[in-house]
Amino acid sequence: MSIFSLVTGRPGPSGYGSASTAELVTQGIDASNLTAIVTGGASGIGLETSRVLALRGAHVIIAARNTDAANKAKDVILNDIGNARIHVLKLDLSSTKSVRAFVDSFNALHLPLNLLINNAGVMFCPFQLSEDGIEMQFATNHLGHFLLTNLLLDKMKDTARKTGVEGRIVNLSSIAHLHAYEEGIQFDKINDQSSYSDKRAYGQSKLANILHANELSRRLQEEGANLTMNSVHPGLIMTPLMRHSALLMKTLKIFTCLLWKNVAQGAATTCYVALDPRLKGVSGKYFLDCNETMPSSYARDQKLARKLWDFSNKLVGSASASAS
């Protein structure tokens, strides 16, 4: 998509563009036979994604670290959509222990699972380590979703087999993946405070989101599973995610005001990729403004994706061993 399209909202090949809202891109779609998990569904574009999926009839599980905020979000949705089906479950993506506990809680509901929206994240936070001893942005934005997705895969495959309905996984990445570290992923310096940059660490985690989606998509296609996985850039939206850099973002917005979206527009690409029937079988792609686009060369590097997969498995294994 060109800058002109971003500014004007001119639709791309899909018929939608930067000005399209989540309600618009899902208009006429019946999702009443679908169950979806939305991480970080208590605020911002996660809340709007949850609301619109519920509006289209989906049973939505809001997975959130702050369950009080998530229950308030649930009430907001129910006030808007009286017959909405909403569950709230606790999930702290920076903790592998919490991820495993969430999956146990979800499985106890005995629900199918058609959609997994890996939306939650942290942004530009000061250097800190997770309880598993992993840099917080990498731990939360990538590793937690990596583990969550792997633990839910069998449930999604089983649901797809029994229902014949394609399952879909969506990773929320960002255009910030273009501004990761020089080598893309700092495998040997993930926890190195001396070289830490809050902006580049965020870009690294968003690059990891795309690489994760691409590698899992490749594996699912080889297996012949009726599941797709794609990544999206929602756009520039002022949300609580930016709390660590609110002044910088507000200043930036003054000079780039025409490129920013509201929350309804920010959730559009996620909802489009999750529900649009025209994307049946489309997997391993990157979407911006509801249209497929080309990510960075690092994001398209298959060797890097496989290396990240193996690296992530080792980190998850080490964290699990430490917790036991």
Side-chain angles (χ1 to χ4, degrees):
M1 300 291 284
S2 66
I3 292 295
F4 177 78
S5 297
L6 288 172
V7 172
T8 63
R10 185 179 66 178
S14 69
Y16 305 120
S18 61
S20 301
T21 65
E23 283 199 26
L24 174 66
V25 304
T26 60
Q27 193 168 17
I29 294 176
D30 179 9
S32 58
N33 63 331
L34 303 180
T35 300
I37 291 174
V38 181
T39 69
S43 64
I45 58 177
L47 172 55
E48 178 65 0
T49 298
S50 298
R51 186 189 71 83
V52 172
L53 291 178
L55 179 66
R56 301 307 174 211
H59 186 170
V60 178
I61 290 82
I62 295 177
R65 181 179 56 81
N66 185 336
T67 53
D68 288 339
N71 278 307
K72 289 178 182 177
K74 175 182 176 179
D75 291 340
V76 167
I77 295 173
L78 289 172
N79 286 335
D80 183 46
I81 310 161
N83 63 344
R85 295 176 293 162
I86 306 288
H87 266 89
V88 169
L89 292 177
K90 185 175 181 61
L91 172 64
D92 180 354
L93 285 158
S94 71
S95 163
T96 56
K97 181 179 178 181
S98 177
V99 173
R100 294 182 187 280
F102 168 84
V103 173
D104 288 342
S105 297
F106 174 74
N107 287 336
L109 296 175
H110 301 292
L111 293 171
L113 183 59
N114 307 93
L115 305 174
L116 175 58
I117 312 297
N118 289 325
N119 164 85
V122 293
M123 182 179 187
F124 300 167
C125 58
F127 180 84
Q128 57 185 305
L129 297 179
S130 70
E131 69 176 42
D132 296 312
I134 301 164
E135 188 277 310
M136 188 61 76
Q137 294 194 79
F138 191 82
T140 304
N141 298 351
H142 166 62
L143 199 65
H145 283 126
F146 175 84
L147 176 59
L148 177 68
T149 302
N150 280 356
L151 292 177
L152 291 171
L153 268 183
D154 285 343
K155 169 71 75 172
M156 296 194 73
K157 292 175 184 177
D158 185 60
T159 299
R161 278 193 301 266
K162 289 179 177 177
T163 64
V165 177
E166 178 183 83
R168 296 186 182 183
I169 306 168
V170 182
N171 271 4
L172 264 75
S173 180
S174 169
I175 199 170
H177 82 274
L178 295 167
H179 302 288
Y181 292 105
E182 185 176 350
E183 62 270 48
I185 306 291
Q186 290 197 134
F187 293 105
D188 298 327
K189 297 181 180 180
I190 286 294
N191 297 333
D192 182 18
Q193 186 172 1
S194 65
S195 63
Y196 180 76
S197 160
D198 57 354
K199 310 299 186 299
R200 291 195 179 276
Y202 179 72
Q204 172 180 251
S205 70
K206 295 289 101 179
L207 172 60
N209 291 151
I210 301 177
L211 293 169
H212 171 217
N214 291 352
E215 176 61 12
L216 183 51
S217 172
R218 183 188 69 80
R219 290 167 180 255
L220 291 170
Q221 288 174 324
E222 283 188 354
E223 184 182 334
N226 191 19
L227 297 176
T228 65
M229 187 169 188
N230 295 288
S231 50
V232 305
H233 168 49
L236 292 171
I237 309 106
M238 189 66 72
T239 74
L241 184 65
M242 296 179 176
R243 60 187 174 274
H244 292 294
S245 55
L247 180 60
L248 172 64
M249 290 298 105
K250 288 177 181 177
T251 303
L252 178 63
K253 190 172 182 181
I254 293 173
F255 298 99
T256 59
C257 58
L258 295 178
L259 300 179
W260 288 68
K261 296 181 178 183
N262 59 40
V263 171
Q265 294 166 338
T269 305
T270 302
C271 291
Y272 168 75
V273 174
L275 293 182
D276 196 288
R278 293 174 296 175
L279 295 183
K280 181 176 174 58
V282 175
S283 192
K285 304 300 182 181
Y286 173 67
F287 290 83
L288 164 68
D289 297 332
C290 300
N291 288 276
E292 183 183 333
T293 191
M294 190 77 75
S296 71
S297 57
Y298 272 138
R300 304 192 307 273
D301 188 328
Q302 293 183 3
K303 290 183 179 179
L304 186 62
R306 293 174 188 178
K307 184 175 181 180
L308 176 65
W309 183 277
D310 293 339
F311 179 73
S312 302
N313 266 329
K314 289 179 181 177
L315 282 182
V316 167
S318 297
S320 300
S322 299
S324 60

